[in-house]
Amino acid sequence: MTPKTNSRLIICDFDDTLALERDFIKSGHRHVARFLCGKFGGLGECACVQIFEEEFRISRQGVFDRSVERIFGAPNQALALELVEQYRNHFPRLSYQPDVAEFLRLARERGANTAIITDGNPRTQRNKLEATGALGDFGACVITSEFGPDWAKPSPKAFEFLAEKFGAKFENMVYIGDNPAKDFAVSAKLPIKTAQIERPGAVHLSNEYLGAILPHFRIKRLDQIFGCLGF
């Protein structure tokens, strides 16, 4: 995809913006259950998945530590760490939310560039981008952890990188995200518009806004951003 210079640049977060994080979590739990059942005979995949989901609902931290202890009756840190690596590195069964195709079509029709900025484990995020086809659908995909910890949102570094890549002015850029704890505070550092997409079941929807910085727009579907921006 050849960048269009001096045009609008619409940047999207990935998790719970383009694809649901809960779908990745379910994919990961199924993968880990299959791995565990293949490693140890006599276990049931469905039973393992149920335990993972129950522990996840209690806390996102230490899911596999607690699950291993429940399944085997004793803690096993080495096995839990192995399961974490399986979860992070698995190639997920994951797809875009239904409104993404229309958003991309309208962006092309209106001559806007599109890009992605996402935090997270680099292997995990790259697998998600590949699984959905985002690497080919968007003009650029920035996984901040591939550049260093100082690139993580709300750092302006990834936005500055994309502004230079596309020859875009900050005033012509908008960032669409879901997480109040990090997705909108960049507007205090750069004159970028931000929009919060409110998807049912989004993991971070109830987080507090970092620095009490609110998004400029709130949308239910990605294609609504064009009405917000007036083009």
Side-chain angles (χ1 to χ4, degrees), residues 110-127:
R110 287 159 169 73
N113 288 306
T114 57
I116 293 171
I117 295 176
T118 180
D119 292 342
N121 178 279
R123 175 73 177 275
T124 302
Q125 296 308 104
R126 191 156 290 279
N127 283 347

Side-chain angles (χ1 to χ4, degrees), residues 36-81:
L36 195 60
C37 291
K39 190 176 179 74
F40 300 96
L43 300 177
E45 287 187 20
C46 291
C48 290
V49 168
Q50 182 174 347
I51 289 172
F52 298 155
E53 292 178 348
E54 289 172 356
E55 292 302 327
F56 181 85
R57 285 194 290 270
I58 293 170
S59 172
R60 298 188 67 180
Q61 304 299 318
V63 168
F64 295 118
D65 294 275
R66 298 191 305 276
S67 296
V68 165
E69 187 167 1
R70 281 182 61 181
I71 293 168
F72 295 100
N76 186 329
Q77 187 176 25
L79 178 58
L81 289 173

Side-chain angles (χ1 to χ4, degrees), residues 99-112 114 137 223 226:
D99 57 330
V100 176
E102 178 66 3
F103 162 76
L104 289 170
R105 185 190 71 80
L106 291 172
R108 289 191 297 269
E109 184 180 281
R110 287 159 169 73
T114 57
D137 292 336
D223 55 292
F226 299 101

Side-chain angles (χ1 to χ4, degrees), residues 150-157 159-160 170 182 184-192 194 210 213 216:
D150 58 335
W151 279 58
K153 294 177 288 184
S155 168
K157 288 182 179 293
F159 298 91
E160 293 167 342
F170 294 125
K182 62 180 180 179
F184 314 117
V186 68
S187 64
K189 302 175 182 179
L190 299 172
I192 294 173
T194 62
L210 180 63
I213 300 170
H216 296 89

Side-chain angles (χ1 to χ4, degrees), residues 10-20 95-107 110 114-116 138 174-178 195-199 217-229 231:
I10 305 175
I11 308 169
C12 295
D13 175 43
F14 185 84
D15 297 307
D16 282 338
T17 298
L18 299 177
L20 291 182
S95 57
Y96 287 140
Q97 284 294 279
D99 57 330
V100 176
E102 178 66 3
F103 162 76
L104 289 170
R105 185 190 71 80
L106 291 172
R110 287 159 169 73
T114 57
I116 293 171
F138 286 77
V174 62
Y175 184 64
I176 306 172
D178 69 288
Q196 181 176 6
I197 187 162
E198 298 173 334
R199 294 203 185 276
F217 312 110
R218 287 186 172 86
I219 57 178
K220 302 293 185 182
R221 303 187 319 273
L222 286 174
D223 55 292
Q224 292 177 332
I225 194 62
F226 299 101
C228 294
L229 298 174
F231 81 102

